[in-house]
Amino acid sequence: MKGHIITLNLVLFLFFTLNAQRHNIIPAPVSFVQTDAVFLLDGPLMLNASPEIKETVGLMRQKLAANGLYISEDQKAKKSLNIEMVKKEALGSEGYQLKVDNKNITIIASESGGVFNGLQTLLQLTSGSTVGGNIQGCEITDYPRFKWRGLMLDVSRHFFTVDEVKQYIDKMSEYKFNTFHWHLTDDEGWRVEIKSLPKLTEVGAWRVERAGKFGEDRAFPLPGEKPTYGGFYTQEQIKDVVAYAAARNITIVPEVDVPGHSMAALAAYPELSTKKEPKFVNPGSKFAEWYGNGKFEMLIENTLNPADEKVYEFMDKVMGELAMLFPGKYIHMGGDESYKGFWEKSKDVQAFMKKNNIKDAHELQSYFVKRVEKIVSSKGKTLIGWDEILEGGLADGAAVMSWRGLKGGIEAAKMGHEVVMSPTTYAYIDYTQGDPSVENPIYASLSLEKTYEFEPLPEGVDPKYILGGQGNLWSEMIPSLPFAFYMTYPRAMAISEAVWSQKKDRDWNSFVRRVMFHFDEFDEDNIAISKAVYEPIITVYKEDLNLIVKLENNIPDSEIRYTIDNTYPVSFGNTYSAPFKVPEGLLSLRTQTFLNGKSIGRSLIIPRSELVKRVVARNKNCFPGSKNAFYVVLNSVIYSGRMLE
């Protein structure tokens, strides 16, 4: 049995749940009824299940044992884990019923996906109960609200090994995600072996080594400098990961990002561009100017030539091999941020447009998308792309992933196309999570609270066209798996609840209390994730000539303490009750959240000079643009590049 330590997070959870019938399950189930039964974790369990289901249980055998549930073949075991496959229309393919009484744990599901999800809930129940050495009796009925519940991992900008990808998938499965969107290609690297196009990985998978933040601080490759950073997945490795995910009820959707974001492909095959100039795989150097409102200019060509028939021969080979590797329904073609300036300057492209009655570059991109859609459909797959594929006319049969707010998704759904909602405003989990004083600066900020507001189904849209929702982890600032987990969770928990749980049952106070327990579980597993939700939200503004600070957070029953006179520890400071004036002088604001007399979250220390800068920033209309960028300054949204709702 896992040796639980009663840490601060568990104390907080018990504090909140004392004398109340609550559970710690994320995402919240459709129905949870607590009973008077108690299942003691005091011996082995006999498994009653079909051979097929025993394989599914085997995947979790070690985790179940760590939580006190020892599966045994001993027919004399006094207790049992019973798993029944019964067709129940209400449960669908992924729903389940779970009952815990004094002697038995029973899971009923229509298909193996439901069994898997039921076992994940059982693991969460045992994680929450092993302090007392038992499981409180309960009856659960549960099924997902949406069929697409996804997370995207960008492995182009930083490469993750097969084992690391599997670890990421493992954690996804614990929160009932069923779609892994694998962003396999971009300007910074081509990560999937295409046997008919060997240069894609021989050349496109490698770039020169650079460190630090993407952009101006990263130098372009020097003459003769060898590319040593990168990697790719062989087709055998791809098949292995696909099978690994499938066993965990997860389908992989591969993405090859075209016609833009293709610098790695053009490094391998420069003849597929308009200028046909030699290229390099971008090491994260600045090669675009962003002007705000989504407008930008590429300084180096990174876009395929849609007027060249050889490009479609290339796409046919790529999509053909992807279709054989990935058995799922969808292939993602990207389609976002395709710079059209080089098309507009090319005499060959302009002649092609005139010949084919294509009036502008948007229609030209639509022509490209429609050609690719035909290629993908010829392989027995459905094309999905970012919402820019709507520009100039959407291809018949294509699905849309809406990232620039919900607008593109709404438009596509009203045209009768399938949609996955993945807006920056709620679902971009590479954005910073807490106060700028303790977070790496990047394009934007996205709190757990804001993520929890995500609603994939807009009013007035036919639900049958909304497949679901997804969170995206772009890896410009994610160089390692530990940091990928830190950035993904707990915001992925909020997304899982948005796409699994019933809308009417979603409640922030309930959710954050359950998150507190899951913090403790991550700590026990030695996985560091963000606890920025604990920390004060600092708003600074001017009132007359005075500098005023407002403090708040969203942790029930907590209090915020602060000092503004350079004294510490902050636990002996003022208890916040109303906005206060910051006096002149060389001093710093110190502030921290407390719950039940205990400090939670990081202590924030911000010099007065920085507070003044925040007021100035808040009053500006925009900041210099950058790829994937919008900015949130003190919860005021200012955007550039990636557009907001």
Side-chain angles (χ1 to χ4, degrees):
M1 184 185 300
K2 185 185 292 185
H4 282 246
I5 300 172
I6 302 181
T7 63
L8 173 61
N9 294 316
L10 184 54
V11 169
L12 299 180
F13 177 79
L14 295 174
F15 170 76
F16 278 128
T17 58
L18 187 63
N19 297 322
Q21 291 190 13
R22 291 190 175 140
H23 58 76
N24 64 318
I25 303 166
I26 296 178
V30 173
S31 172
F32 177 91
V33 178
Q34 185 172 301
T35 68
D36 294 332
V38 176
F39 187 96
L40 297 178
L41 298 170
D42 58 356
L45 286 79
M46 181 175 66
L47 176 60
N48 296 316
S50 66
E52 171 191 355
I53 294 305
K54 286 184 177 180
E55 289 184 17
T56 300
V57 176
L59 295 174
M60 300 188 190
R61 197 173 190 127
Q62 187 173 352
K63 290 182 179 179
L64 289 167
N67 286 11
L69 290 167
Y70 298 96
I71 306 299
S72 172
E73 303 301 325
D74 185 359
Q75 298 295 314
K76 296 181 180 179
K78 296 180 180 180
K79 298 180 180 180
S80 61
L81 171 59
N82 307 308
I83 301 178
E84 303 174 19
M85 298 287 282
V86 179
K87 286 291 181 182
K88 292 194 174 186
E89 186 176 346
L91 297 179
S93 62
E94 295 185 273
Y96 62 93
Q97 292 176 329
L98 172 61
K99 182 178 180 180
V100 178
D101 60 30
N102 292 321
K103 296 291 184 181
N104 301 286
I105 298 172
T106 303
I107 296 174
I108 298 174
S110 297
E111 297 183 22
S112 59
V115 172
F116 186 86
N117 288 324
L119 288 168
Q120 292 291 5
T121 295
L122 178 60
L123 280 170
Q124 290 195 28
L125 284 175
T126 54
S127 294
S129 303
T130 50
V131 170
N134 61 70
I135 309 173
Q136 181 66 50
C138 62
E139 295 180 5
I140 298 172
T141 298
D142 201 12
Y143 46 83
R145 184 180 174 208
F146 294 101
K147 62 182 178 181
W148 184 303
R149 306 182 306 280
L151 289 180
M152 186 215 75
L153 179 63
D154 168 15
V155 298
S156 173
R157 292 176 178 86
H158 279 99
F159 181 67
F160 294 83
T161 67
V162 167
D163 285 343
E164 288 172 332
V165 171
K166 287 181 176 179
Q167 289 178 60
Y168 198 81
I169 288 171
D170 268 332
K171 190 56 67 175
M172 285 177 60
S173 72
E174 292 180 20
Y175 292 97
K176 302 183 176 71
F177 288 102
N178 69 348
T179 303
F180 177 57
H181 176 174
W182 208 354
H183 186 81
L184 290 164
T185 76
D186 215 296
D187 298 310
E188 292 79 18
W190 184 284
R191 306 296 180 210
V192 53
E193 179 188 26
I194 303 297
K195 292 185 177 181
S196 59
L197 297 163
K199 288 184 180 179
L200 286 173
T201 47
E202 291 172 0
V203 176
W206 306 94
R207 63 177 186 250
V208 297
E209 184 81 47
R210 295 289 184 270
K213 188 177 179 181
F214 272 45
E216 293 180 355
D217 294 335
R218 287 199 176 199
F220 286 110
L222 300 173
E225 186 178 6
K226 292 184 178 181
T228 57
Y229 175 84
F232 64 93
Y233 310 105
T234 67
Q235 294 200 358
E236 288 306 308
Q237 288 174 322
I238 293 281
K239 292 174 184 177
D240 176 48
V241 175
V242 167
Y244 187 89
R248 288 152 181 81
N249 196 45
I250 290 176
T251 299
I252 298 182
V253 175
E255 180 185 354
V256 168
D257 203 349
V258 291
H261 291 279
S262 295
M263 200 165 172
L266 294 177
Y269 298 100
E271 64 271 20
L272 300 178
S273 64
T274 64
K275 299 181 76 174
K276 308 187 187 307
E277 296 175 338
K279 299 287 193 303
F280 54 83
V281 181
N282 184 32
S285 307
K286 178 181 177 180
F287 70 126
E289 289 286 356
W290 286 86
Y291 303 117
N293 298 322
K295 296 179 180 179
F296 64 101
E297 178 184 4
M298 297 305 304
L299 307 178
I300 302 173
E301 189 176 17
N302 75 331
T303 310
L304 300 177
N305 180 0
D308 189 341
E309 197 62 28
K310 291 181 180 179
V311 167
Y312 301 103
E313 295 173 8
F314 168 84
M315 292 306 305
D316 187 76
K317 292 177 181 179
V318 170
M319 295 304 182
E321 295 193 33
L322 285 181
M324 291 188 293
L325 291 170
F326 295 93
K329 177 179 177 181
Y330 300 92
I331 292 179
H332 204 301
M333 66 155 289
D336 63 313
E337 298 175 333
S338 296
Y339 179 64
K340 301 168 181 66
F342 291 101
W343 299 350
E344 293 167 346
K345 294 175 183 178
S346 169
K347 292 181 180 179
D348 291 341
V349 172
Q350 292 303 306
F352 177 86
M353 291 172 65
K354 185 176 181 180
K355 178 181 177 181
N356 290 277
N357 297 315
I358 297 173
K359 69 179 182 181
D360 58 26
H362 290 299
E363 277 197 10
L364 181 59
Q365 174 159 316
S366 176
Y367 171 87
F368 175 85
V369 172
K370 290 174 180 177
R371 288 285 302 270
V372 174
E373 191 280 329
K374 288 181 180 178
I375 291 170
V376 171
S377 62
S378 74
K379 314 300 179 186
K381 303 294 183 180
T382 297
L383 181 78
I384 186 169
W386 302 110
D387 55 67
E388 283 96 330
I389 68 173
L390 283 157
E391 296 172 2
L394 182 57
D396 292 339
V400 170
M401 186 170 282
S402 190
W403 69 271
R404 296 180 299 176
L406 303 176
K407 181 180 178 182
I410 293 171
E411 180 183 347
K414 289 185 175 180
M415 294 166 59
H417 290 258
E418 294 179 327
V419 171
V420 176
M421 291 298 191
S422 187
T424 59
T425 32
Y426 304 102
Y428 270 45
I429 54 177
D430 55 310
Y431 292 164
T432 58
Q433 303 172 72
D435 191 84
S437 64
V438 289
E439 297 280 327
N440 289 332
I442 198 170
Y443 316 113
S445 177
L446 177 62
S447 66
L448 178 63
E449 296 93 323
K450 184 68 175 178
T451 303
Y452 195 70
E453 295 173 8
F454 180 34
E455 171 48 48
L457 178 59
E459 290 186 13
V461 174
D462 190 334
K464 73 180 181 181
Y465 296 115
I466 305 301
L467 296 176
Q470 177 175 292
N472 298 326
L473 188 70
W474 302 98
S475 64
E476 287 98 328
M477 298 285 287
I478 316 290
S480 67
L481 182 66
F483 198 58
F485 280 135
Y486 180 87
M487 297 301 289
T488 301
Y489 297 95
R491 288 179 295 188
M493 299 181 202
I495 292 169
S496 77
E497 198 139 298
V499 293
W500 178 282
S501 304
Q502 299 300 298
K503 181 180 179 181
K504 64 180 178 62
D505 296 330
R506 293 175 61 202
D507 175 76
W508 167 259
N509 287 346
S510 168
F511 174 71
V512 76
R513 288 164 178 163
R514 285 176 282 128
V515 166
M516 289 178 184
F517 181 83
H518 284 255
F519 282 159
D520 199 62
E521 292 299 298
F522 274 87
D523 287 345
E524 285 198 11
D525 291 337
N526 198 31
I527 299 174
I529 64 174
S530 175
K531 298 176 183 176
V533 66
Y534 285 155
E535 295 153 14
I537 302 166
I538 302 170
T539 304
V540 193
Y541 57 94
K542 280 288 188 72
E543 192 173 86
D544 297 326
L545 297 178
N546 297 316
L547 187 67
I548 307 296
V549 167
K550 176 184 176 182
L551 302 176
E552 56 189 330
N553 70 19
N554 293 294
I555 303 300
D557 303 317
S558 68
E559 64 181 19
I560 301 172
R561 298 178 191 172
Y562 72 94
T563 68
I564 197 63
D565 56 3
N566 290 336
T567 61
Y568 49 87
V570 73
S571 57
F572 291 93
N574 305 301
T575 299
Y576 178 80
S577 59
F580 56 88
K581 174 184 173 182
V582 180
E584 297 281 351
L586 293 174
L587 46 81
S588 294
L589 167 68
R590 285 175 165 83
T591 183
Q592 192 169 17
T593 299
F594 288 76
L595 183 60
N596 201 29
K598 302 292 185 181
S599 61
I600 57 175
R602 293 167 291 192
S603 176
L604 306 180
I605 305 174
I606 307 168
R608 188 185 194 281
S609 58
E610 182 61 33
L611 296 175
V612 172
K613 289 179 183 178
R614 294 188 181 193
V615 175
V616 173
R618 189 182 187 191
N619 291 331
K620 286 186 177 180
N621 291 324
C622 65
F623 285 83
S626 177
K627 182 192 177 296
N628 297 355
F630 73 78
Y631 293 80
V632 177
V633 181
L634 308 177
N635 301 321
S636 296
V637 177
I638 303 170
Y639 68 86
S640 173
R642 286 200 182 268
M643 192 172 71
L644 304 183
E645 291 181 275

